[in-house]
Amino acid sequence: MKPFTYQAKAGEVQIRQVEHDDIPHLIDLNKRAFPLMAEENVVWSKRQLSNHLKLFPAGQMVAVIDGKIVGAVASLIVSSGRDPHRSHTYAGITDGGYFHNHDPSGDTLYGADVYVDPDCQGKGIGAALYEARRRLCKGLNLRRILAGGRLSGYSRHETKLTPEEYVQHVIDGDIRDNVLSFQLKHGFVVRGILRNYITDPLSHNFASLIEWLNPDHVDQETTSKVRIACVQYKVRKIADFEEFANQVEYFVETAADYRSDFVLFPEFFSVQLLSFIEPLSSIKGIRRLATDFTEPFIQLMSGLARKFGLYIIGGSHPIEENGKLYNKCLIFDPDGRYLAQPKLHITPAETRYWGISGGSELIVLPTPKARIAVQICYDIEFPEASRYLADQGVEILFVPYCTDDRHGQMRVRCCAQARAIENQIYVATAGVIGNLPSVPAMDIHYGQAAVFTPSDFEFARDGIQAMADSNVETLLVTDLDTADLYRSRASGAVTPRLDRRHDLFELRVKLKNLDTSNELTDAPEIQLPK
């Protein structure tokens, strides 16, 4: 949402999106706005506010007067389901305040918090923030705004009135409640009473469930379906770069014919290029691949992404930077731009034969169809990275791999399926098959492309959406529904994302890029080698 200015009693109030530098000020402001709740430790933490910005930056806004932050709102999107007025708790609907259950495909803007500087209350700051939320709801064409409004004055009436009676008196104007009376004034309607909603001495943990219906909402036919294609790519001796390009284009064109949104190639499939040059040692060969073929490889994949209008997850390719060699997956968008995800964990064989170094970045790419990320082969065997990516909102995790035998392939397969279940995400895998006897360290391969799901009613019985026959060159195509992920996370037979014990376990991250987003780069304009 674009910044705007609201004319309040306090003067001109600027409403803008929260920035990372605002977080310390917001923590202090939240504590001063709710001192009793601060004593109960029910106020925002740095980690929570950082998560809000990563998952739904548009929903986090501040009110500013003369350069000073005087108020803020925190919001997320949820799916209303069949009963938008169902009972819930604050921790449940906000995932303990971390917003990991934010659903971009949902229909309801949920108001997690509104707070104003105590020195500025009664001066129209709250009205400006409520207007900001309404504008956001309309701009996103959401059906409604829902919130739990704590009954801030109920403790003074609890001996005489039930929560329902108290709310009715507030509606009738007989009692003024600082929170609910304000919300009613701004067009909200009470839909019910929420018990044990949040720890708050003033309300005795009661809240009113309030709703504002968007008068401008237009029903639209939306789809949460995503079609992905996983290439079970057979490496074999080729005569030149053109033969490699033709083989790659065949699979991209076929994926496009099936109207795929994403096509995934395996790890190190570009090593096939070493089969048409003079024999080299493993160290010299991988360096030659990095120096002579990186730009042609990028240009080829970029051109195919543009030509066929889809996302290409380009397996992996060795790339040299500052004298070090990295194993990177290049992800191309339909405009031909790309970004590079390095492999973090390097196998003993990669170190021994090729001297590859591990990277230190994890990147999330938001696309119109889904938020995606990549973990290369061995990386999927380390659950911390997948958990971190899931916490950044990743819905589909792509895993290109290269394994020489069934033992290695099973490690990747079993760990990929575990990551799908524990994080309630989709995990798509694709491996190299075939032989390259003339290329050291790439002689034999075992692969079986597969797409894994969480294990619950919305998904396939065995948690396997699709799986190819092993060691047969083919293209595995399947449809995924991201809405199923959010339904499962909110109301599945088990809800591991909601039931995590944040009080016992904390994931500490030391990545080079603390922000998972990254800029896409234009491909170089060069001539492909003959």
Side-chain angles (χ1 to χ4, degrees):
M1 189 185 72
K2 293 182 179 179
F4 70 94
T5 300
Y6 185 90
Q7 193 63 43
K9 296 178 184 178
E12 285 193 349
V13 181
Q14 182 192 15
I15 302 294
R16 63 166 173 81
Q17 188 176 302
V18 172
E19 300 169 354
H20 282 284
D21 291 344
D22 297 332
I23 289 177
H25 305 288
L26 295 181
I27 292 173
D28 177 65
L29 179 61
N30 196 228
K31 290 178 179 178
R32 290 192 293 112
F34 303 117
L36 290 180
M37 296 178 73
E39 292 179 7
E40 300 286 343
N41 201 31
V42 189
V43 289
W44 296 125
S45 68
K46 179 180 179 181
R47 185 178 169 203
Q48 288 171 324
L49 293 174
S50 297
N51 260 15
H52 301 173
L53 278 183
K54 291 173 182 175
L55 296 171
F56 185 36
Q60 323 312 317
M61 292 172 280
V62 291
V64 180
I65 297 179
D66 296 331
K68 179 184 177 182
I69 295 175
V70 294
V73 294
S75 311
L76 68 156
I77 298 175
V78 298
S79 180
S80 65
R82 295 182 179 179
D83 181 13
H85 306 138
R86 62 187 180 275
S87 182
H88 58 266
T89 65
Y90 184 82
I93 204 161
T94 67
D95 187 20
Y98 286 90
F99 292 9
H100 292 142
N101 58 321
H102 165 69
D103 181 359
S105 62
D107 61 355
T108 299
L109 185 67
Y110 195 86
D113 203 1
V114 178
Y115 46 106
V116 175
D117 189 323
D119 296 334
C120 298
Q121 290 177 2
K123 298 181 179 180
I125 310 301
L129 292 169
Y130 269 62
E131 172 62 17
R133 233 185 221 154
R134 287 191 292 268
R135 291 191 183 195
L136 178 63
C137 183
K138 290 181 178 182
L140 296 175
N141 192 36
L142 298 175
R143 190 176 296 276
R144 63 176 62 80
I145 301 175
L146 276 184
R150 61 192 186 91
L151 304 181
S152 64
Y154 181 63
S155 60
R156 298 193 300 271
H157 302 270
E158 63 166 329
T159 58
K160 299 179 181 179
L161 299 174
T162 66
E164 290 80 3
E165 291 171 336
Y166 174 81
V167 166
Q168 190 58 53
H169 278 292
V170 175
I171 293 172
D172 293 340
D174 301 328
I175 296 175
R176 173 170 176 76
D177 182 280
N178 288 339
V179 175
L180 181 55
S181 297
F182 178 83
Q183 292 164 336
L184 294 172
K185 179 181 177 182
H186 284 272
F188 281 84
V189 176
V190 176
R191 299 300 190 191
I193 300 296
L194 300 173
R195 287 169 166 75
N196 298 313
Y197 179 70
I198 195 169
T199 303
D200 173 34
L202 295 179
S203 66
H204 285 275
N205 304 344
F206 287 107
S208 59
L209 176 60
I210 58 170
E211 179 183 46
W212 178 82
L213 292 173
N214 177 8
D216 299 334
H217 174 73
V218 178
D219 284 325
Q220 295 177 334
E221 186 176 346
T222 59
T223 179
S224 51
K225 291 289 184 68
V226 183
R227 181 164 294 177
I228 64 174
C230 303
V231 182
Q232 196 151 289
Y233 189 96
K234 183 176 181 179
V235 292
R236 62 268 205 176
K237 184 174 177 60
I238 53 178
D240 51 28
F241 190 93
E242 184 177 2
E243 189 174 346
F244 172 77
N246 289 340
Q247 186 177 349
V248 172
E249 182 169 359
Y250 164 76
F251 282 112
V252 177
E253 183 177 12
T254 304
D257 286 344
Y258 280 99
R259 300 188 298 280
S260 301
D261 301 298
F262 301 92
V263 56
L264 169 66
F265 282 88
E267 179 187 26
F268 278 136
F269 78 108
S270 66
V271 177
Q272 183 183 27
L273 293 167
L274 295 179
S275 68
F276 72 80
I277 65 173
E278 70 278 9
L280 297 169
S281 67
S282 57
I283 289 287
K284 290 182 178 179
I286 205 73
R287 290 278 176 175
R288 175 79 174 274
L289 186 63
T291 55
D292 290 5
F293 291 101
T294 293
E295 287 194 353
F297 177 78
I298 291 174
Q299 186 65 19
L300 168 67
M301 305 302 277
S302 173
L304 292 175
R306 287 195 306 270
K307 180 177 179 179
F308 295 103
L310 43 59
Y311 285 87
I312 297 178
I313 317 301
S316 79
H317 181 83
I319 294 178
E320 188 174 358
E321 293 177 359
N322 300 321
K324 288 188 175 182
L325 203 61
Y326 297 94
N327 182 6
K328 292 195 174 187
C329 176
L330 303 176
I331 308 167
F332 299 84
D333 77 353
D335 293 325
R337 300 173 302 166
Y338 72 96
L339 52 77
Q341 170 61 62
K343 188 173 184 176
L344 307 188
H345 303 88
I346 306 305
T347 65
E350 286 177 279
T351 302
R352 182 169 63 253
Y353 292 116
W354 290 328
I356 289 178
S357 300
S360 58
E361 295 178 299
L362 279 173
I363 299 166
V364 176
L365 179 60
T367 76
K369 288 288 186 177
R371 290 173 69 89
I372 69 167
V374 170
Q375 287 187 263
I376 304 172
C377 195
Y378 196 30
D379 282 340
I380 199 64
E381 298 178 33
F382 297 85
E384 303 88 352
S386 302
R387 172 56 54 86
Y388 176 70
L389 290 171
D391 285 351
Q392 310 313 307
V394 165
E395 296 157 320
I396 304 175
L397 182 59
F398 289 97
V399 181
Y401 68 90
C402 175
T403 52
D404 56 352
D405 60 17
R406 183 175 173 83
H407 295 99
Q409 184 270 335
M410 285 299 294
R411 288 194 295 269
V412 172
R413 170 183 168 174
C414 293
C415 290
Q417 192 160 14
R419 303 297 87 83
I421 291 171
E422 66 200 16
N423 294 298
Q424 294 182 288
I425 59 175
Y426 294 116
V427 181
T429 68
V432 165
I433 64 169
N435 307 311
L436 287 174
S438 64
V439 180
M442 281 291 287
D443 42 7
I444 61 171
H445 302 94
Y446 189 103
Q448 187 173 29
V451 179
F452 303 107
T453 75
S455 186
D456 215 329
F457 294 113
E458 285 86 352
F459 311 102
R461 185 192 67 177
D462 298 323
I464 302 172
Q465 176 70 16
M467 181 175 287
D469 293 333
S470 60
N471 293 336
V472 177
E473 187 167 44
T474 189
L475 186 70
L476 181 69
V477 181
T478 191
D479 284 342
L480 305 176
D481 191 337
T482 56
D484 287 343
L485 294 177
Y486 294 99
R487 280 192 292 270
S488 177
R489 292 175 185 180
S491 56
V494 294
T495 52
R497 292 188 60 79
L498 296 180
D499 298 334
R500 286 163 57 187
R501 291 290 303 274
H502 294 286
D503 58 323
L504 298 180
F505 303 100
E506 182 178 356
L507 181 63
R508 298 183 63 186
V509 180
K510 299 180 181 179
L511 293 169
K512 178 181 177 182
N513 65 321
L514 296 180
D515 183 0
T516 59
S517 62
N518 212 330
E519 291 296 323
L520 290 157
T521 303
D522 291 328
E525 295 293 337
I526 64 170
Q527 294 296 317
L528 296 180
K530 301 296 184 184

